[in-house]
Amino acid sequence: MKGDFLYQRVYKDLKNSILNGKYKTDSKLPSENELCESYQTTRLTIRQAFEELRKEGFIYKIHGKGTFVKAEKRSLGLLSFKGFSEVVGEGHLVQTRILQKPVCKSFPLIFFEELSETEQEVGCIYLERLRFADQTPVMLEQTYLPNLELSVNTKTTAKLSSICDAPLVNDSLFKTLQIQFEIEVVGLEQAIRAVESEKYIAEMLRIVTKSPILHINRRYITNKSNFFIYSTLYCNTDKYAMSNNF
Amino acid sequence: MKGDFLYQRVYKDLKNSILNGKYKTDSKLPSENELCESYQTTRLTIRQAFEELRKEGFIYKIHGKGTFVKAEKRSLGLLSFKGFSEVVGEGHLVQTRILQKPVCKSFPLIFFEELSETEQEVGCIYLERLRFADQTPVMLEQTYLPNLELSVNTKTTAKLSSICDAPLVNDSLFKTLQIQFEIEVVGLEQAIRAVESEKYIAEMLRIVTKSPILHINRRYITNKSNFFIYSTLYCNTDKYAMSNNF
DNA sequence: CAGTGGTCTAGACCACGAG
DNA sequence: TCGTGGTCTAGACCACTGA
């Protein structure tokens, strides 16, 4: 968990208190000024923590009254850029099956923008994962990473393709990238469509071929400039809707 | 346009400069400190303006380098809580056909949360609109507003059902609510599914019955506490995907 | 190294809500 | 009237980028 900054510690503490039930639905959180005293800090810092929680749909604010806990979600908040486990694991049993371990190949697809020349040249590392929530397959994810050399620790560099050699940490791609390459996902662009499922996708998601699924094209933005991660997602929304908040 | 606050003026100026092409894709915006001087303000204010632009996908930042203009979107950013015209009108011809003018009826549906007792009692005002982008029907929207009495100008109250008596301002529900009732939409919860289109929906969207469409349930959060707007959206994503950014 | 954005302090005034 | 969140000032130190 991120914890380098004070506002992230406040965020984490409050989030845990909400998830643990210390603060229940629609109950009032401590005011900004009270939290300033608790953490010996200023309002900006508390407000940064609140802003994170608000973005993730945990709280809402009412001017003049206070900050309150939102009702629990009944769907998977998968339209944000957090990792699958982080989002879904808050209230569901999470499993991942790796259908294709990371392998090198050429870039097969056009996503939102045309790929840069560099990206086309180096090709990509491809992997395919099937995600489960409470034993139900809900999402098939095909991921493409540009096969670049990346600087690590300001001095050394590492070939990203070394990720093909060892299993993922905790089955998590994002965690593996963070630990081995200091890559952090900081943003996301996505385009969402409703489409008929092809035979292969339908079999994986255990649904009838041609039944409607969500088709999502994503470009993840990272802390390394010009390094993007591309994903295509196929989601079965029969049991769980996809959700987000603003 | 919102313009009461300095950060909103900065936001508006920068957004216009981007849309007008003064700042082109991937070109660098003035630094935070430069903008501080231009507007005779402090970094927090500039950062608030940047944060708005970042949320809407207009800019991205790179630590140590600067703030840059994002590439144009090629899909409709309709997963945010901005109004249809505001989001789609930036690059497309926008039209709205009112299929059902606002009428009073009882609440027919359960959305994310159960409705409050008050909401169940007062019933709702219902309207149905078909939205076009570049002459293509892209979205059918069914909207439900609790039929409450609302305080306006701190002293007087008005029945929301008076909205049934006159046509909408600019065909915009949000604008009408803002002008007549001082209601502002400040947030959004939504759950998204892929479903087969029913006959009526398909006819309206000019697609084949049972072809896949996006089904979105929304709860808009407003500046009036305990006043929510509920909408069900059916989206044809054949031509335009729905998009957002984080 | 200078310039950039990221975090943070210690205040201030305001508009809103409720009693 | 008082406490709340919303906006804003005028600084500060840091980590990152590129020359």
Side-chain angles (χ1 to χ4, degrees):
Chain A
M1 280 267 167
K2 37 178 179 174
D4 288 350
F5 299 109
L6 182 52
Y7 82 90
Q8 291 169 336
R9 228 187 77 211
V10 179
Y11 156 83
K12 208 174 59 180
D13 289 351
L14 290 171
K15 180 170 165 180
N16 285 335
S17 296
I18 292 170
L19 291 173
N20 295 341
K22 182 177 163 191
Y23 299 120
K24 300 197 195 309
T25 298
D26 289 320
S27 71
K28 193 171 163 303
L29 292 173
S31 75
E32 296 181 355
N33 282 317
E34 284 168 347
L35 288 168
C36 285
E37 289 209 3
S38 304
Y39 286 92
Q40 282 300 300
T41 182
T42 49
R43 279 184 63 207
L44 176 60
T45 303
I46 302 299
R47 287 174 67 79
Q48 278 175 293
F50 275 179
E51 179 58 19
E52 285 298 307
L53 292 166
R54 203 194 53 72
K55 272 195 241 174
E56 295 181 24
F58 284 102
I59 60 169
Y60 59 96
K61 294 175 166 199
I62 301 178
H63 194 173
K65 290 181 74 176
T67 303
F68 303 85
V69 179
K70 260 203 193 176
E72 276 177 62
K73 308 163 202 169
R74 294 173 194 181
S75 46
L76 310 179
L78 283 175
L79 299 175
S80 76
F81 69 84
K82 299 285 177 130
F84 185 87
S85 310
E86 197 175 343
V87 172
V88 181
E90 280 159 9
H92 304 272
L93 172 65
V94 168
Q95 286 169 303
T96 297
R97 183 188 305 162
I98 310 248
L99 300 179
Q100 171 62 61
K101 281 193 234 178
V103 289
C104 296
K105 51 188 267 185
S106 60
F107 259 117
L109 283 172
I110 306 294
F111 293 84
F112 301 87
E113 320 292 336
E114 290 85 7
L115 298 168
S116 71
E117 285 184 20
T118 316
E119 285 174 329
Q120 291 173 17
E121 281 167 22
V122 297
C124 75
I125 296 151
Y126 173 74
L127 67 159
E128 186 173 316
R129 291 169 294 170
L130 184 62
R131 316 289 212 149
F132 295 78
D134 306 325
Q135 321 269 1
T136 305
V138 291
M139 177 190 286
L140 179 72
E141 180 163 14
Q142 299 172 334
T143 308
Y144 305 84
L145 307 119
N147 191 2
L148 297 167
E149 281 205 17
L150 290 160
S151 61
V152 180
N153 291 319
T154 64
K155 292 294 173 191
T156 61
T157 63
K159 283 224 82 168
L160 188 57
S161 52
S162 68
I163 208 172
C164 302
D165 303 333
L168 299 180
V169 178
N170 286 346
D171 282 346
S172 166
L173 175 63
F174 285 3
K175 186 141 285 178
T176 308
L177 291 173
Q178 186 191 335
I179 292 172
Q180 291 185 16
F181 301 94
E182 298 175 340
I183 293 171
E184 302 261 5
V185 173
V186 298
L188 167 63
E189 299 165 5
Q190 61 187 348
I192 304 182
R193 292 189 146 85
V195 300
E196 290 182 350
S197 51
E198 303 162 17
K199 184 158 176 290
Y200 169 69
I201 306 288
E203 279 173 8
M204 288 297 119
L205 293 174
R206 292 187 210 147
I207 53 176
V208 178
T209 304
K210 293 200 175 178
S211 52
I213 54 172
L214 287 187
H215 176 276
I216 305 179
N217 269 335
R218 286 189 170 177
R219 186 166 82 140
Y220 293 100
I221 298 154
T222 71
N223 58 340
K224 308 271 185 189
S225 55
N226 300 318
F227 183 79
F228 303 102
I229 302 168
Y230 301 88
S231 268
T232 303
L233 280 57
Y234 301 92
C235 305
N236 170 15
T237 55
D238 290 349
K239 190 161 174 186
Y240 299 100
M242 302 294 139
S243 67
N244 62 352
N245 299 270
F246 291 97
Chain B
M1 279 261 173
K2 37 178 178 174
D4 287 350
F5 299 109
L6 181 52
Y7 81 89
Q8 290 169 337
R9 228 188 76 211
V10 179
Y11 157 82
K12 208 174 61 181
D13 289 351
L14 291 170
K15 179 170 165 179
N16 285 336
S17 296
I18 292 171
L19 292 173
N20 296 340
K22 182 177 163 192
Y23 299 120
K24 301 198 194 311
T25 299
D26 289 320
S27 71
K28 193 172 162 305
L29 292 172
S31 75
E32 296 181 356
N33 283 316
E34 284 168 349
L35 288 168
C36 285
E37 289 209 3
S38 306
Y39 286 91
Q40 283 300 300
T41 181
T42 49
R43 278 184 63 206
L44 175 59
T45 303
I46 302 300
R47 287 174 67 80
Q48 278 175 293
F50 275 179
E51 179 58 18
E52 286 298 306
L53 292 166
R54 204 195 51 72
K55 271 195 238 174
E56 295 182 24
F58 285 101
I59 61 168
Y60 60 95
K61 295 175 164 199
I62 300 179
H63 194 172
K65 290 181 75 174
T67 304
F68 303 85
V69 180
K70 260 203 194 177
E72 275 176 61
K73 309 162 201 169
R74 293 172 193 185
S75 45
L76 309 178
L78 282 175
L79 298 176
S80 77
F81 68 85
K82 299 286 177 128
F84 186 87
S85 310
E86 197 175 345
V87 172
V88 181
E90 280 160 10
H92 304 274
L93 171 66
V94 168
Q95 286 169 303
T96 297
R97 183 188 304 163
I98 311 251
L99 299 179
Q100 171 63 62
K101 281 194 235 179
V103 288
C104 295
K105 51 187 268 186
S106 60
F107 258 117
L109 283 172
I110 305 295
F111 293 84
F112 301 87
E113 319 294 334
E114 289 87 6
L115 298 167
S116 72
E117 284 184 20
T118 316
E119 286 174 328
Q120 290 173 18
E121 281 167 21
V122 297
C124 75
I125 296 152
Y126 173 73
L127 68 159
E128 186 173 315
R129 289 169 295 171
L130 185 61
R131 315 290 211 148
F132 295 78
D134 306 325
Q135 321 271 0
T136 305
V138 290
M139 177 189 286
L140 179 73
E141 180 163 14
Q142 299 172 334
T143 309
Y144 305 83
L145 307 118
N147 191 2
L148 296 167
E149 281 205 14
L150 290 160
S151 61
V152 181
N153 291 319
T154 63
K155 291 295 173 190
T156 62
T157 63
K159 282 225 82 168
L160 188 57
S161 53
S162 69
I163 208 172
C164 302
D165 302 334
L168 299 180
V169 179
N170 286 345
D171 281 348
S172 167
L173 175 64
F174 285 3
K175 187 142 284 177
T176 309
L177 292 173
Q178 185 191 335
I179 292 171
Q180 291 185 16
F181 300 95
E182 299 175 339
I183 293 170
E184 303 260 5
V185 173
V186 298
L188 167 63
E189 299 165 6
Q190 62 187 348
I192 304 182
R193 292 190 147 85
V195 301
E196 290 183 349
S197 52
E198 303 163 17
K199 186 156 174 292
Y200 169 70
I201 307 287
E203 279 172 8
M204 289 297 117
L205 293 174
R206 294 188 209 145
I207 53 176
V208 179
T209 303
K210 293 198 175 177
S211 53
I213 54 172
L214 286 188
H215 177 276
I216 305 180
N217 270 334
R218 283 189 172 178
R219 187 166 82 138
Y220 292 101
I221 298 153
T222 72
N223 58 340
K224 309 270 185 189
S225 54
N226 299 317
F227 182 79
F228 303 102
I229 302 168
Y230 302 87
S231 268
T232 303
L233 279 58
Y234 302 92
C235 305
N236 171 14
T237 56
D238 290 350
K239 190 162 174 187
Y240 300 100
M242 303 292 140
S243 67
N244 61 353
N245 298 272
F246 291 97

